[in-house]
Tab-separated table of all heavy atoms in Angstrom:
chain	number	residue	atom	x	y	z
A	9	GLN	N	3.110	16.086	12.559
A	9	GLN	CA	2.986	17.046	13.734
A	9	GLN	C	2.186	18.272	13.458
A	9	GLN	O	2.684	19.364	13.675
A	9	GLN	CB	4.454	17.407	14.128
A	9	GLN	CG	5.214	16.116	14.400
A	9	GLN	CD	6.601	16.412	14.967
A	9	GLN	OE1	7.268	17.339	14.539
A	9	GLN	NE2	6.918	15.520	15.945
A	10	LEU	N	0.939	18.003	13.053
A	10	LEU	CA	0.105	19.188	12.731
A	10	LEU	C	-0.319	19.811	13.992
A	10	LEU	O	-0.767	19.199	14.958
A	10	LEU	CB	-1.144	18.658	12.042
A	10	LEU	CG	-1.039	18.386	10.543
A	10	LEU	CD1	-2.445	17.989	10.045
A	10	LEU	CD2	-0.521	19.604	9.810
A	11	SER	N	-0.327	21.191	14.008
A	11	SER	CA	-0.883	21.940	15.087
A	11	SER	C	-1.721	23.070	14.514
A	11	SER	O	-1.391	23.663	13.479
A	11	SER	CB	0.130	22.515	16.011
A	11	SER	OG	0.823	21.523	16.666
A	12	LYS	N	-2.820	23.385	15.207
A	12	LYS	CA	-3.586	24.576	14.785
A	12	LYS	C	-3.937	25.419	16.052
A	12	LYS	O	-4.495	24.884	16.972
A	12	LYS	CB	-4.851	24.156	14.083
A	12	LYS	CG	-5.714	25.329	13.632
A	12	LYS	CD	-5.153	25.858	12.381
A	12	LYS	CE	-5.952	27.161	11.955
A	12	LYS	NZ	-5.351	27.770	10.770
A	13	VAL	N	-3.451	26.642	16.051
A	13	VAL	CA	-3.604	27.393	17.271
A	13	VAL	C	-4.332	28.718	16.866
A	13	VAL	O	-4.048	29.337	15.847
A	13	VAL	CB	-2.219	27.837	17.839
A	13	VAL	CG1	-2.398	28.674	19.090
A	13	VAL	CG2	-1.423	26.562	18.255
A	14	PHE	N	-5.343	28.984	17.545
A	14	PHE	CA	-6.120	30.257	17.340
A	14	PHE	C	-5.782	31.278	18.432
A	14	PHE	O	-5.493	30.859	19.620
A	14	PHE	CB	-7.586	29.972	17.333
A	14	PHE	CG	-7.987	29.122	16.173
A	14	PHE	CD1	-8.312	27.755	16.326
A	14	PHE	CD2	-8.205	29.736	14.928
A	14	PHE	CE1	-8.689	27.022	15.235
A	14	PHE	CE2	-8.658	29.009	13.917
A	14	PHE	CZ	-8.896	27.647	13.976
A	15	LYS	N	-5.896	32.489	18.067
A	15	LYS	CA	-5.756	33.585	19.050
A	15	LYS	C	-7.123	33.753	19.766
A	15	LYS	O	-8.116	33.804	19.096
A	15	LYS	CB	-5.278	34.871	18.418
A	15	LYS	CG	-4.565	35.785	19.266
A	15	LYS	CD	-3.923	36.863	18.519
A	15	LYS	CE	-4.705	38.183	18.760
A	15	LYS	NZ	-4.277	39.259	17.934
A	16	ASP	N	-7.071	33.779	21.061
A	16	ASP	CA	-8.269	33.908	21.739
A	16	ASP	C	-8.766	35.376	21.586
A	16	ASP	O	-8.028	36.332	21.504
A	16	ASP	CB	-8.040	33.683	23.258
A	16	ASP	CG	-9.385	33.570	24.023
A	16	ASP	OD1	-10.387	33.956	23.460
A	16	ASP	OD2	-9.330	33.034	25.173
A	17	LYS	N	-10.100	35.533	21.622
A	17	LYS	CA	-10.707	36.902	21.451
A	17	LYS	C	-10.272	37.837	22.591
A	17	LYS	O	-10.079	39.050	22.472
A	17	LYS	CB	-12.189	36.812	21.556
A	17	LYS	CG	-12.848	36.674	20.138
A	17	LYS	CD	-14.388	36.755	20.315
A	17	LYS	CE	-15.036	35.893	19.290
A	17	LYS	NZ	-16.411	35.522	19.781
A	18	GLU	N	-10.044	37.184	23.751
A	18	GLU	CA	-9.664	38.016	24.968
A	18	GLU	C	-8.178	38.294	25.007
A	18	GLU	O	-7.688	38.967	25.946
A	18	GLU	CB	-10.102	37.260	26.300
A	18	GLU	CG	-11.573	37.092	26.436
A	18	GLU	CD	-11.975	35.941	27.296
A	18	GLU	OE1	-11.145	35.446	28.004
A	18	GLU	OE2	-13.116	35.516	27.181
A	19	SER	N	-7.495	37.852	23.996
A	19	SER	CA	-6.012	37.959	23.997
A	19	SER	C	-5.718	39.528	23.813
A	19	SER	O	-6.276	40.211	23.067
A	19	SER	CB	-5.444	37.167	22.866
A	19	SER	OG	-4.091	37.321	22.875
A	20	THR	N	-4.655	39.998	24.579
A	20	THR	CA	-4.256	41.323	24.412
A	20	THR	C	-2.711	41.342	24.099
A	20	THR	O	-2.096	40.287	24.187
A	20	THR	CB	-4.466	42.162	25.672
A	20	THR	OG1	-3.765	41.531	26.749
A	20	THR	CG2	-5.911	42.270	26.037
A	21	VAL	N	-2.138	42.493	23.853
A	21	VAL	CA	-0.716	42.630	23.558
A	21	VAL	C	0.054	42.078	24.762
A	21	VAL	O	1.062	41.450	24.666
A	21	VAL	CB	-0.305	44.032	23.164
A	21	VAL	CG1	1.096	44.142	22.836
A	21	VAL	CG2	-1.192	44.597	22.070
A	22	PHE	N	-0.436	42.435	25.923
A	22	PHE	CA	0.289	42.104	27.231
A	22	PHE	C	0.102	40.752	27.664
A	22	PHE	O	0.940	40.042	28.239
A	22	PHE	CB	-0.107	43.173	28.282
A	22	PHE	CG	-0.002	44.528	27.880
A	22	PHE	CD1	-1.125	45.357	27.517
A	22	PHE	CD2	1.255	45.083	27.710
A	22	PHE	CE1	-0.963	46.537	27.045
A	22	PHE	CE2	1.396	46.473	27.244
A	22	PHE	CZ	0.246	47.130	26.950
A	23	LYS	N	-1.125	40.310	27.421
A	23	LYS	CA	-1.410	38.934	27.848
A	23	LYS	C	-1.867	38.107	26.777
A	23	LYS	O	-3.053	38.224	26.331
A	23	LYS	CB	-2.448	39.054	29.043
A	23	LYS	CG	-2.432	37.928	29.936
A	23	LYS	CD	-3.433	38.092	31.031
A	23	LYS	CE	-3.544	36.902	31.921
A	23	LYS	NZ	-4.807	37.044	32.824
A	24	LYS	N	-1.075	37.249	26.228
A	24	LYS	CA	-1.440	36.452	25.066
A	24	LYS	C	-2.240	35.238	25.512
A	24	LYS	O	-1.829	34.620	26.457
A	24	LYS	CB	-0.171	36.058	24.308
A	24	LYS	CG	0.302	37.130	23.381
A	24	LYS	CD	0.896	36.526	22.120
A	24	LYS	CE	1.206	37.565	21.142
A	24	LYS	NZ	2.626	37.872	20.957
A	25	LYS	N	-3.335	35.002	24.839
A	25	LYS	CA	-4.153	33.788	25.152
A	25	LYS	C	-4.337	33.030	23.859
A	25	LYS	O	-4.612	33.594	22.804
A	25	LYS	CB	-5.475	34.186	25.676
A	25	LYS	CG	-5.506	34.475	27.177
A	25	LYS	CD	-6.943	34.586	27.599
A	25	LYS	CE	-6.980	34.892	29.153
A	25	LYS	NZ	-8.423	35.108	29.525
A	26	GLU	N	-4.095	31.723	23.978
A	26	GLU	CA	-4.250	30.952	22.737
A	26	GLU	C	-5.222	29.781	23.021
A	26	GLU	O	-5.431	29.341	24.067
A	26	GLU	CB	-2.817	30.363	22.397
A	26	GLU	CG	-1.976	31.345	21.749
A	26	GLU	CD	-0.591	30.747	21.476
A	26	GLU	OE1	-0.243	29.738	22.167
A	26	GLU	OE2	0.095	31.290	20.584
A	27	ILE	N	-5.873	29.490	21.930
A	27	ILE	CA	-6.676	28.210	21.975
A	27	ILE	C	-6.012	27.171	21.050
A	27	ILE	O	-5.838	27.416	19.858
A	27	ILE	CB	-8.148	28.545	21.555
A	27	ILE	CG1	-8.755	29.503	22.416
A	27	ILE	CG2	-8.978	27.302	21.487
A	27	ILE	CD1	-10.122	30.097	21.986
A	28	ILE	N	-5.674	26.034	21.626
A	28	ILE	CA	-5.049	25.022	20.840
A	28	ILE	C	-6.070	24.128	20.365
A	28	ILE	O	-6.658	23.344	21.130
A	28	ILE	CB	-3.991	24.301	21.601
A	28	ILE	CG1	-2.963	25.313	22.227
A	28	ILE	CG2	-3.216	23.282	20.780
A	28	ILE	CD1	-1.984	24.719	23.197
A	29	ALA	N	-6.435	24.144	19.038
A	29	ALA	CA	-7.496	23.274	18.532
A	29	ALA	C	-6.952	21.899	18.151
A	29	ALA	O	-7.547	20.849	18.478
A	29	ALA	CB	-8.042	23.914	17.303
A	30	VAL	N	-5.807	21.917	17.477
A	30	VAL	CA	-5.164	20.573	17.227
A	30	VAL	C	-3.779	20.674	17.650
A	30	VAL	O	-3.067	21.676	17.498
A	30	VAL	CB	-5.170	20.367	15.667
A	30	VAL	CG1	-4.478	19.028	15.338
A	30	VAL	CG2	-6.573	20.248	15.207
A	31	ASP	N	-3.294	19.635	18.348
A	31	ASP	CA	-2.001	19.695	19.024
A	31	ASP	C	-1.080	18.567	18.563
A	31	ASP	O	-1.221	17.415	19.065
A	31	ASP	CB	-2.280	19.659	20.557
A	31	ASP	CG	-1.053	19.979	21.350
A	31	ASP	OD1	-0.046	20.361	20.709
A	31	ASP	OD2	-1.083	19.879	22.543
A	32	ASN	N	-0.157	18.840	17.653
A	32	ASN	CA	0.909	17.902	17.392
A	32	ASN	C	0.411	16.560	16.975
A	32	ASN	O	0.664	15.549	17.669
A	32	ASN	CB	1.815	17.752	18.629
A	32	ASN	CG	3.216	17.569	18.282
A	32	ASN	OD1	3.476	17.453	17.084
A	32	ASN	ND2	4.064	17.416	19.220
A	33	VAL	N	-0.314	16.459	15.887
A	33	VAL	CA	-0.919	15.289	15.481
A	33	VAL	C	-0.282	14.725	14.181
A	33	VAL	O	-0.065	15.482	13.315
A	33	VAL	CB	-2.451	15.411	15.218
A	33	VAL	CG1	-3.054	14.324	14.451
A	33	VAL	CG2	-3.203	15.646	16.458
A	34	SER	N	0.114	13.563	14.213
A	34	SER	CA	0.717	12.884	13.025
A	34	SER	C	-0.170	11.771	12.562
A	34	SER	O	-0.736	10.983	13.309
A	34	SER	CB	2.044	12.376	13.253
A	34	SER	OG	2.854	13.381	13.671
A	35	LEU	N	-0.312	11.610	11.206
A	35	LEU	CA	-1.239	10.684	10.723
A	35	LEU	C	-0.816	10.270	9.285
A	35	LEU	O	-0.409	11.180	8.524
A	35	LEU	CB	-2.587	11.325	10.699
A	35	LEU	CG	-3.835	10.682	10.196
A	35	LEU	CD1	-4.282	9.580	11.056
A	35	LEU	CD2	-4.971	11.747	10.033
A	36	THR	N	-0.957	9.035	8.936
A	36	THR	CA	-0.787	8.732	7.401
A	36	THR	C	-1.946	7.969	6.980
A	36	THR	O	-2.564	7.135	7.709
A	36	THR	CB	0.492	7.833	7.260
A	36	THR	OG1	0.363	6.722	8.130
A	36	THR	CG2	1.717	8.545	7.406
A	37	ILE	N	-2.336	8.214	5.752
A	37	ILE	CA	-3.502	7.479	5.150
A	37	ILE	C	-3.003	6.905	3.811
A	37	ILE	O	-2.387	7.583	3.018
A	37	ILE	CB	-4.593	8.476	4.813
A	37	ILE	CG1	-5.153	9.066	6.159
A	37	ILE	CG2	-5.771	7.779	4.119
A	37	ILE	CD1	-5.154	10.528	6.224
A	38	ASN	N	-3.226	5.593	3.700
A	38	ASN	CA	-2.789	4.927	2.527
A	38	ASN	C	-3.822	4.897	1.502
A	38	ASN	O	-5.069	5.145	1.826
A	38	ASN	CB	-2.362	3.478	2.871
A	38	ASN	CG	-1.161	3.458	3.802
A	38	ASN	OD1	-0.297	4.284	3.598
A	38	ASN	ND2	-1.189	2.639	4.733
A	39	ARG	N	-3.558	4.607	0.264
A	39	ARG	CA	-4.475	4.416	-0.856
A	39	ARG	C	-5.456	3.288	-0.494
A	39	ARG	O	-5.069	2.248	0.002
A	39	ARG	CB	-3.735	4.112	-2.091
A	39	ARG	CG	-4.226	4.846	-3.292
A	39	ARG	CD	-3.233	4.720	-4.394
A	39	ARG	NE	-2.437	5.891	-4.560
A	39	ARG	CZ	-2.866	7.003	-5.167
A	39	ARG	NH1	-4.156	7.053	-5.636
A	39	ARG	NH2	-2.105	8.056	-5.313
A	40	GLY	N	-6.767	3.482	-0.683
A	40	GLY	CA	-7.745	2.436	-0.474
A	40	GLY	C	-7.928	2.112	1.003
A	40	GLY	O	-8.532	1.068	1.345
A	41	GLU	N	-7.537	2.962	1.856
A	41	GLU	CA	-7.712	2.786	3.261
A	41	GLU	C	-8.716	3.824	3.873
A	41	GLU	O	-8.779	4.917	3.434
A	41	GLU	CB	-6.347	3.007	3.920
A	41	GLU	CG	-6.302	2.621	5.426
A	41	GLU	CD	-4.913	2.805	5.951
A	41	GLU	OE1	-4.442	3.984	5.903
A	41	GLU	OE2	-4.317	1.903	6.444
A	42	SER	N	-9.450	3.294	4.797
A	42	SER	CA	-10.347	4.278	5.491
A	42	SER	C	-9.908	4.382	6.942
A	42	SER	O	-9.758	3.451	7.637
A	42	SER	CB	-11.834	3.895	5.397
A	42	SER	OG	-12.019	2.592	5.857
A	43	VAL	N	-9.822	5.696	7.359
A	43	VAL	CA	-9.317	5.969	8.705
A	43	VAL	C	-10.385	6.762	9.443
A	43	VAL	O	-10.939	7.716	8.883
A	43	VAL	CB	-8.015	6.720	8.665
A	43	VAL	CG1	-7.461	7.136	10.036
A	43	VAL	CG2	-6.881	5.935	7.891
A	44	GLY	N	-10.711	6.336	10.650
A	44	GLY	CA	-11.685	7.075	11.409
A	44	GLY	C	-11.065	8.080	12.451
A	44	GLY	O	-9.984	7.760	12.989
A	45	ILE	N	-11.672	9.182	12.611
A	45	ILE	CA	-11.275	10.054	13.682
A	45	ILE	C	-12.554	10.224	14.622
A	45	ILE	O	-13.564	10.759	14.150
A	45	ILE	CB	-10.786	11.405	13.187
A	45	ILE	CG1	-9.556	11.198	12.234
A	45	ILE	CG2	-10.391	12.371	14.331
A	45	ILE	CD1	-9.125	12.392	11.557
A	46	VAL	N	-12.344	9.823	15.871
A	46	VAL	CA	-13.564	10.014	16.738
A	46	VAL	C	-13.189	10.841	17.980
A	46	VAL	O	-12.067	10.888	18.340
A	46	VAL	CB	-14.105	8.624	17.246
A	46	VAL	CG1	-14.714	7.875	16.103
A	46	VAL	CG2	-13.058	7.781	17.976
A	47	GLY	N	-14.181	11.424	18.567
A	47	GLY	CA	-14.023	12.212	19.710
A	47	GLY	C	-15.276	13.009	20.051
A	47	GLY	O	-16.176	13.116	19.202
A	48	GLU	N	-15.329	13.696	21.133
A	48	GLU	CA	-16.480	14.454	21.554
A	48	GLU	C	-16.475	15.807	20.811
A	48	GLU	O	-15.494	16.076	20.167
A	48	GLU	CB	-16.470	14.759	23.024
A	48	GLU	CG	-16.756	13.580	23.829
A	48	GLU	CD	-16.434	13.826	25.298
A	48	GLU	OE1	-15.314	14.181	25.556
A	48	GLU	OE2	-17.306	13.574	26.131
Side-chain angles (χ1 to χ4, degrees):
Chain A
Q9 304 188 320
L10 281 184
S11 292
K12 182 79 188 175
V13 179
F14 292 100
K15 208 169 104 182
D16 193 344
K17 269 188 214 154
E18 293 155 21
S19 182
T20 60
V21 184
F22 307 105
K23 204 177 173 190
K24 279 213 169 110
K25 274 191 181 172
E26 285 178 336
I27 298 173
I28 306 170
V30 177
D31 191 7
N32 214 357
V33 166
S34 299
L35 176 73
T36 50
I37 296 121
N38 296 321
R39 224 167 256 282
E41 186 179 60
S42 56
V43 177
I45 300 174
V46 293
E48 288 166 306

